[in-house]
Amino acid sequence: MIGTSHPRTEDHRLLTGRGRFTDDLGPTAYSCAVVRSPHAAAEIDVVDCDRARAHPGVVAAVSYQDLPPSMRRRLPLLIPHHDLTHPRTGHVLAHREVRYAGEPVALVVARDRYAAQDAQELVRVRYRPRPAVVGLGAADRADHLVHPDIPGNTAARHAQHTGDVPAAMAGCAPPAPPAAGS
């Protein structure tokens, strides 16, 4: 895919005013609101959408458990690479745990955005927070694993070198001493 030309198919309709956008669907289109995790790492004990489903104007409120089996698979790996030793993708909605703050946990669909947002607040999620892996240093130390089956938090090993790195490093000036008073 990289380095090859891909013909664009959307240009003609957009340039001629025939593009269609979600805002063009009109006032009868449903709206949705996503319930997102406030935690960077946590196990999910319960996602309860019952109160949201009962809210006026709500068409659906779903968590991973409510999805049909065809939507419970992991999302596809978009760019496979031979250096990926442990490729991972997420699910449409979090399953059993969250691995980043903002990960989608539930979805509310309603007749308008106000009902969707109000019902979003009614979804109850019980989390058991875990220590988050924040920054490259913490990931490299692997005190905590993002995925328990990926040793050392390393999903790939890839080395890329251009030119003579040791010679370039040897020709660098030593770092300047810190300024007085800092």
Side-chain angles (χ1 to χ4, degrees), residues 113-178:
R113 74 177 180 157
Y114 304 106
Q117 290 170 341
D118 289 346
Q120 172 189 27
E121 299 294 324
L122 299 174
V123 173
R124 294 291 168 243
V125 184
R126 190 171 65 230
Y127 299 97
R128 279 185 283 142
R130 295 189 320 231
V133 178
V134 180
L136 293 176
D140 194 41
R141 283 190 308 277
D143 297 331
H144 305 286
L145 299 177
V146 177
H147 298 272
D149 61 328
I150 299 180
N153 287 322
T154 303
R157 293 245 180 242
H158 178 76
Q160 182 173 339
H161 302 280
T162 302
D164 187 348
V165 175
M169 295 300 289
C172 292

Side-chain angles (χ1 to χ4, degrees), residues 4-172:
T4 60
S5 177
H6 298 281
R8 294 173 51 106
T9 58
E10 70 277 11
D11 292 347
H12 182 72
R13 66 183 169 83
L14 295 173
L15 293 171
T16 58
R18 290 191 210 105
R20 186 153 181 183
F21 303 91
T22 53
D23 203 39
D24 297 330
L25 297 176
T28 60
Y30 293 158
S31 292
C32 70
V34 179
V35 177
R36 297 181 179 278
S37 169
H39 303 285
E43 292 180 41
I44 299 172
D45 285 335
V46 174
V47 181
D48 182 357
C49 296
D50 289 344
R51 290 178 44 206
R53 288 184 191 111
H55 188 72
V58 170
V59 175
V62 297
S63 68
Y64 176 87
Q65 299 304 324
D66 302 309
L67 295 173
S70 63
M71 293 187 70
R72 290 185 182 187
R73 293 187 293 258
R74 289 190 172 276
L75 296 168
L77 183 63
L78 297 179
I79 305 175
H81 194 277
H82 64 276
D83 287 341
L84 281 171
T85 56
H86 297 86
R88 289 294 179 280
T89 59
H91 293 90
V92 169
L93 295 172
H95 176 51
R96 294 191 190 126
E97 60 188 323
V98 292
R99 291 189 174 89
Y100 61 91
E103 185 168 355
V105 176
L107 176 74
V108 176
V109 180
R111 300 201 183 282
D112 61 59
R113 74 177 180 157
Y114 304 106
Q117 290 170 341
D118 289 346
Q120 172 189 27
E121 299 294 324
L122 299 174
V123 173
R124 294 291 168 243
V125 184
R126 190 171 65 230
Y127 299 97
R128 279 185 283 142
R130 295 189 320 231
V133 178
V134 180
L136 293 176
D140 194 41
R141 283 190 308 277
D143 297 331
H144 305 286
L145 299 177
V146 177
H147 298 272
D149 61 328
I150 299 180
N153 287 322
T154 303
R157 293 245 180 242
H158 178 76
Q160 182 173 339
H161 302 280
T162 302
D164 187 348
V165 175
M169 295 300 289
C172 292

